């Protein structure tokens, strides 16, 4: 199942730092894209639905490290 999460950061510079860390991220193969003026990041990945979604938890932790927060997709 394709999963999409969006994170908002205080600036585009911080959002780019988050993106840079995901380039060689060892947890899961994720695709990223800046949006909303460059201060937000959309992350998509395949979730296998076999249990707890560790990828989501790890992404949340990494975003929080950069001061980011998950935003609801509307």
């Amino acid at each position: 199942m394709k999963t999409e999460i969006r994170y908002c950061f205080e600036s585009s510079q911080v959002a780019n730092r988050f993106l840079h860390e995901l380039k060689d991220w060892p947890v899961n193969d994720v695709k990223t894209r800046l949006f909303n003026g460059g201060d937000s990041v959309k992350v998509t990945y395949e979730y296998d639905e076999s249990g707890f979604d560790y990828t989501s938890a790890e992404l949340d932790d990494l975003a929080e490290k950069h001061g980011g927060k998950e935003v609801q997709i509307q």
Side-chain angles (χ1 to χ4, degrees):
M1 174 175 83
K2 183 177 173 181
T3 301
E4 181 177 295
I5 303 174
R6 296 180 184 193
Y7 296 98
C8 183
F9 298 90
E10 69 179 46
S11 69
S12 60
Q13 183 179 21
V14 177
N16 275 298
R17 286 185 193 137
F18 176 73
L19 281 176
H20 182 71
E21 284 202 46
L22 290 176
K23 286 189 187 278
D24 297 315
W25 201 49
V27 177
N28 194 351
D29 184 29
V30 297
K31 294 183 180 10
T32 59
R33 188 180 75 151
L34 288 172
F35 73 101
N36 199 29
D39 67 348
S40 297
V41 176
K42 178 172 82 170
V43 180
T44 56
Y45 63 94
E46 288 293 326
Y47 170 55
D48 65 11
E49 300 183 57
S50 64
F52 183 75
D53 187 358
Y54 290 98
T55 301
S56 176
E58 293 286 336
L59 284 167
D60 288 349
D61 289 346
L62 183 60
E64 186 176 322
K65 174 182 157 188
H66 291 281
K69 297 186 187 223
E70 185 175 345
V71 294
Q72 297 298 320
I73 299 170
Q74 297 181 25

